[in-house]
Amino acid sequence: MKCPKCEVELQTGRIDSVVVDECPQCNGAWFDGGELREAKDQTDPDLNWMDFELWMHQDRFKVAQKERDCPECGVGMVAVDYDDTRVEIDHCVLCEGVWLDGGEFQKIIDSLTEELLTKDLPGYIRESLKEAVEILTGPERLLSEWRDFRTVLRMLQYRVLTGNLALAKALADIQKGSPFK
Ligand SMILES: [Zn+2]
Ligand SMILES: [Zn+2]
């Protein structure tokens, strides 16, 4: 499988039971659709923070067809943006995989941190968010601990890809417009 950005061969790694394909050149990472589905099906009480503010407003998601192709099926991916977070997720509607550019994890962390600093939140929500930031920024290098990794996968799946009905519809509409049904 080749990097959708630089075309070099992705390196397959395994974190616990999760398979990740990373680009040695741009540090982007490919998450298989199956891994995402599996992550979503697991429940974790630590993830209460996802029920609050973060990426909550469905109308603030923007989707756009991208020229970048899915490394797995070769069809054009769809870019998903949220408001002014500058987080961009490349998603393949066909296989439901996700591509994150190198540094995209950091942006997700930044947007969590910003919520924490700027919003006037009730104490318990603040605590949940703080916990989430700690999970994501822990002492271990990012991706080096499967817990961090699973957390991000679940967030992507739950909050962005299937937990959001308006977005799911927009993605489906784009898919209808493509020759791949
Ligand atoms: Zn690359
Ligand atoms: Zn695909």
Side-chain angles (χ1 to χ4, degrees):
M1 205 157 42
K2 293 210 163 68
C3 173
K5 211 173 151 188
C6 15
E7 308 265 294
V8 304
E9 198 64 36
L10 296 176
Q11 291 177 353
T12 302
R14 193 174 276 273
I15 300 162
D16 195 59
S17 60
V18 184
V19 177
V20 203
D21 297 292
E22 267 188 295
C23 174
Q25 195 165 300
C26 68
N27 296 319
W30 173 250
F31 309 101
D32 189 80
E35 302 288 354
L36 286 163
R37 274 188 298 274
E38 197 186 304
K40 180 198 147 225
D41 292 342
Q42 302 192 0
T43 52
D44 185 337
D46 292 345
L47 296 179
N48 287 337
W49 55 275
M50 288 196 301
D51 291 331
F52 307 119
E53 221 18 46
L54 185 76
W55 295 354
M56 208 178 148
H57 303 279
Q58 306 205 342
D59 53 332
R60 292 192 198 163
F61 280 97
K62 287 166 275 185
V63 293
Q65 186 92 56
K66 257 207 146 172
E67 282 183 26
R68 232 177 246 178
D69 290 341
C70 170
E72 201 142 311
C73 0
V75 304
M77 291 191 281
V78 183
V80 181
D81 278 275
Y82 185 72
D83 217 14
D84 54 0
T85 56
R86 298 175 301 280
V87 175
E88 188 182 285
I89 297 157
D90 294 322
H91 175 56
C92 174
V93 181
L94 210 57
C95 69
E96 301 184 332
V98 162
W99 173 262
L100 291 182
D101 280 340
E104 216 69 54
F105 269 104
Q106 188 56 49
K107 289 187 197 164
I108 292 172
I109 292 161
D110 290 348
S111 66
L112 277 169
T113 311
E114 204 174 303
E115 297 255 321
L116 201 59
L117 294 175
T118 59
K119 301 267 163 60
D120 186 22
L121 302 166
Y124 71 102
I125 294 179
R126 187 166 289 278
E127 279 311 302
S128 299
L129 272 175
K130 207 191 276 176
E131 230 169 77
V133 171
E134 277 163 16
I135 289 171
L136 293 167
T137 56
E140 307 282 328
R141 194 184 86 77
L142 221 51
L143 291 188
S144 68
E145 207 200 322
W146 81 270
R147 182 183 163 84
D148 296 1
F149 179 66
R150 278 282 163 127
T151 301
V152 175
L153 287 189
R154 283 184 204 159
M155 185 176 70
L156 287 175
Q157 186 58 275
Y158 175 87
R159 179 58 84 204
V160 180
L161 296 174
T162 58
N164 182 328
L165 296 179
L167 182 64
K169 190 182 175 306
L171 288 168
D173 287 348
I174 283 192
Q175 188 189 20
K176 265 184 227 151
S178 83
F180 307 97
K181 291 194 178 176

